[in-house]
Amino acid sequence: QYDTNMWGDRNTMVHLFEWKWNDIADECERFLQHKGYGGVQVSPVNENAIVTSGTYRPWWERYQPISYNLVTRSGNEEEFASMVRRCNNVGVRIYVDVVFNHMTGNSGTVYGTGGSIGYSDSKYYPAVPYGSNDFNSDCGITNYNDAINVRNCELVGLRDLNQGSTYVRTTILAFLNKLINKLINLGVAGFRVDAAKHMWPGDLEVIYAGLNNLNTDHGFASGARPYIFQEVIDLGGEAVSFSEYTHLGAVTEFKFSAEIGRVFHGYDQLTWLSNWGEGWGFMASQYAFVFVDNHDNQRGHGAGGSNILTYKNAKQYKMAIAFMLAHPYGSTRVMSSFYFDDTEAGPPADSNGNIISPGINADDTCSNGWVCEHRWRQIYNMVGFKNAVKGTGLNDWWSNGAQQIAFCRGGSGFVAFTNGGTIAQTMQTCLPAGTYCDVISALIAGDYNLNTDHGFASGARPYIFQEVIDLGGEAVSFSEYTH
Ligand code: LM2
Ligand code: CA
């Protein structure tokens, strides 16, 4: 299902990678709702194996499930439930990264973030429970030209569940449906399906069909279905194609990430963006789930290599994000990271491995090791732009034939980019005559509007009352001030 279930005036999600549930709830209320973010992708919610590597716990331990209990370094079940409630209350939806292709790696007895134990060598996970007959055989994935190998063998040694088994399907569904509306009245809006490429579309179809409707108690329309976006890395030339998954839900378009990085690195000319989207060999827009970088490829995992732009290349990165949010192609996600040098290192944590909350500075940026790209002015203002132009197409494309472009979104928005030199050009902006705010720098009239953070309507102006003593019969009259 392709509808994100966001509120009508919003259409972008942010991945708050490795954030704690209580911090996300605060962020929904104090920032995301006001800037027009429609949802948050959260890190996996179910219990994972604790992995210790030198002085830290790698971020990727969360991709090694040990049970479906809702206890991770981000928080417990009560904290998760409270976050979902608080975010839904302010119109910010929650999308859960669900990992059910596999369990932990094969590394003997493993211990979980909620106290569970697993026996990875014998494929016994008593806290689910799963036993060895719920898994595919021990083979490793070695041949991406062979779909059976890709789907029935172990991805980097991770114990590979057999989703063809009725028991495995039922167990996965109990976990997913709990997140939708069971037990403590949760209300998530959808799922990122991790490693979908490594599962059979036919098995996923059965699992998706068994999902409950969304929880009307959290404001979803009656009969609304969970939004599904499936992680399928397909840059072409392999046995498994994205097209096997598009009838089931949205699919990650990794070509978008790799190509937009190439272009804004300057390896290609902006003028060639005139047919961005399907014209570049991407999947049809209605299926495409797009992003400039994700938690894998920003650090050299996953696909895209050195083409990928990240926060480390801030100026080019902001331009790529602005282009993604200005252009109508695909369903968009903004990445929000923690700083890293070591590509395996986990989020900011104390010596006991507890995640440290982001600090919030007076200028809206973050501290304590968190990058918070979603709080960069150019990025959140473009989230607002995308909301404002929702439903319009792309028109009045202009380019100088090289590194400068501009275009309109219907009659509601106009944007220009240069990746080389100042633009000196008279252009059709498509907007009704008037004085406009530059939403990227946002340093014009908008800055003197009232603070929406304090509950004022967006664009509200300060109330002014002027002290003019006028009892009549003097040179100065009240009437000179009323306008
Ligand atoms: C994904 N999408 O399909 C995630 O986006 C990606 O982050 C996950 O890999 C992957 N699939 C499996 O869920 C990450 C990370 C791997 C890491 C795994 C499991 O990119 O490097 O593998 O999570 O934690 C790690 C070690 C690897 C080891 C494996 C099993 O890096 O060397 O393989 O655990 O112990 C022997
Ligand atoms: Ca598999």
Side-chain angles (χ1 to χ4, degrees):
Q1 108 89 349
Y2 314 97
D3 182 342
T4 60
N5 300 299
M6 287 180 193
W7 281 18
D9 56 350
R10 311 180 186 190
N11 60 153
T12 292
M13 72 172 75
V14 54
H15 179 19
L16 294 180
F17 180 47
E18 291 270 22
W19 277 47
K20 291 186 284 185
W21 309 148
N22 289 341
D23 295 333
I24 293 176
D26 289 345
E27 191 70 349
C28 285
E29 292 171 350
R30 79 187 154 204
F31 190 82
L32 299 177
Q33 62 156 328
H34 303 299
K35 301 304 182 193
Y37 284 95
V40 179
Q41 178 189 318
V42 301
S43 281
V45 296
N46 62 297
E47 182 178 13
N48 61 265
I50 295 172
V51 179
T52 306
S53 163
T55 55
Y56 59 71
R57 300 205 4 217
W59 59 271
W60 43 254
E61 69 167 41
R62 295 186 74 156
Y63 292 92
Q64 300 203 17
I66 193 169
S67 85
Y68 298 127
N69 301 332
L70 308 189
V71 199
T72 62
R73 284 208 282 174
S74 286
N76 62 27
E77 182 160 329
E78 287 67 42
E79 290 163 332
F80 182 74
S82 159
M83 170 192 74
V84 173
R85 175 63 71 182
R86 287 171 63 192
C87 290
N88 276 330
N89 279 348
V90 295
V92 181
R93 300 313 196 184
I94 299 295
Y95 304 89
V96 176
D97 191 351
V98 288
V99 184
F100 56 81
N101 170 63
H102 54 262
M103 297 297 281
T104 71
N106 180 14
S107 48
T109 303
V110 286
Y111 299 92
T113 45
S116 298
I117 195 164
Y119 305 92
S120 66
D121 34 11
S122 55
K123 306 182 187 177
Y124 177 41
Y125 296 90
V128 179
Y130 283 136
S132 59
N133 55 346
D134 298 318
F135 292 83
N136 291 318
S137 58
D138 279 6
C139 54
I141 295 178
T142 51
N143 182 5
Y144 278 88
N145 294 316
D146 174 3
I148 297 175
N149 177 255
V150 170
R151 286 165 172 155
N152 290 355
C153 290
E154 295 180 343
L155 173 66
V156 294
L158 298 160
R159 294 317 212 174
D160 200 54
L161 284 165
N162 172 16
Q163 293 84 15
S165 137
T166 305
Y167 173 75
V168 172
R169 287 173 177 170
T170 308
T171 305
I172 291 168
L173 267 171
F175 164 52
L176 301 181
N177 280 330
K178 172 175 174 172
L179 297 173
I180 292 175
N181 64 358
K182 282 279 159 48
L183 291 181
I184 49 172
N185 197 15
L186 292 176
V188 308
F191 303 107
R192 169 196 186 260
V193 178
D194 182 76
K197 174 179 180 173
H198 302 281
M199 297 185 276
W200 293 96
D203 292 339
L204 293 177
E205 188 166 7
V206 175
I207 291 170
Y208 300 163
L211 292 172
N212 293 346
N213 290 336
L214 298 186
N215 193 340
T216 53
D217 202 43
H218 282 251
F220 295 106
S222 153
R225 301 291 295 155
Y227 176 57
I228 305 268
F229 55 108
Q230 306 165 95
E231 200 237 4
V232 178
I233 299 179
D234 176 9
L235 295 177
E238 292 182 10
V240 173
S241 162
F242 74 87
S243 62
E244 297 171 67
Y245 295 87
T246 46
H247 65 291
L248 300 173
V251 179
T252 51
E253 181 47 281
F254 275 85
K255 290 178 199 150
F256 183 110
S257 171
E259 294 293 343
I260 206 167
R262 282 191 63 246
V263 171
F264 283 95
H265 263 120
Y267 307 154
D268 214 336
Q269 304 223 336
L270 299 192
T271 189
W272 301 120
L273 294 172
S274 61
N275 65 342
W276 181 249
E278 292 88 343
W280 281 56
F282 303 166
M283 68 184 76
S285 178
Q286 80 244 47
Y287 303 131
F289 184 87
V290 302
F291 43 91
V292 172
D293 61 331
N294 79 348
H295 74 278
D296 284 322
N297 68 13
Q298 70 170 191
R299 49 173 48 71
H301 286 239
S306 58
N307 284 333
I308 304 305
L309 277 170
T310 72
Y311 74 86
K312 296 186 186 219
N313 213 329
K315 182 171 186 217
Q316 302 310 120
Y317 185 67
K318 287 183 277 191
M319 286 174 65
I321 297 263
F323 182 79
M324 173 179 81
L325 294 172
H327 195 280
Y329 180 83
S331 180
T332 50
R333 177 182 60 197
V334 169
M335 178 72 204
S336 188
S337 319
F338 53 84
Y339 290 97
F340 64 90
D341 292 318
D342 181 336
T343 58
E344 315 306 300
D350 67 20
S351 54
N352 295 318
N354 299 311
I355 296 176
I356 296 169
S357 298
I360 307 294
N361 301 320
D363 66 356
D364 277 344
T365 59
C366 290
S367 58
N368 294 348
W370 298 89
V371 185
C372 291
E373 295 92 319
H374 70 287
R375 281 174 164 269
W376 293 3
R377 191 186 67 237
Q378 298 84 352
I379 292 179
Y380 68 70
N381 280 331
M382 284 307 294
V383 168
F385 178 98
K386 184 173 168 78
N387 290 339
V389 302
K390 191 174 173 186
T392 65
L394 188 157
N395 46 289
D396 292 81
W397 175 272
W398 170 86
S399 124
N400 72 343
Q403 290 290 19
Q404 301 181 350
I405 56 170
F407 58 91
C408 298
R409 292 293 306 275
S412 332
F414 168 78
V415 68
F417 293 84
T418 174
N419 210 8
T422 304
I423 303 182
Q425 180 77 25
T426 302
M427 280 185 240
Q428 175 55 259
T429 66
C430 314
L431 306 171
T435 304
Y436 286 88
C437 176
D438 168 3
V439 299
I440 293 183
S441 57
L443 289 175
I444 311 182
D447 262 11
Y448 303 100
N449 289 336
L450 298 187
N451 193 339
T452 54
D453 226 34
H454 284 256
F456 295 104
S458 145
R461 304 287 298 150
Y463 175 59
I464 309 265
F465 53 110
Q466 305 163 91
E467 200 238 8
V468 178
I469 300 180
D470 177 7
L471 295 173
E474 290 182 10
V476 174
S477 160
F478 74 88
S479 62
E480 296 171 66
Y481 297 87
T482 48
H483 65 289

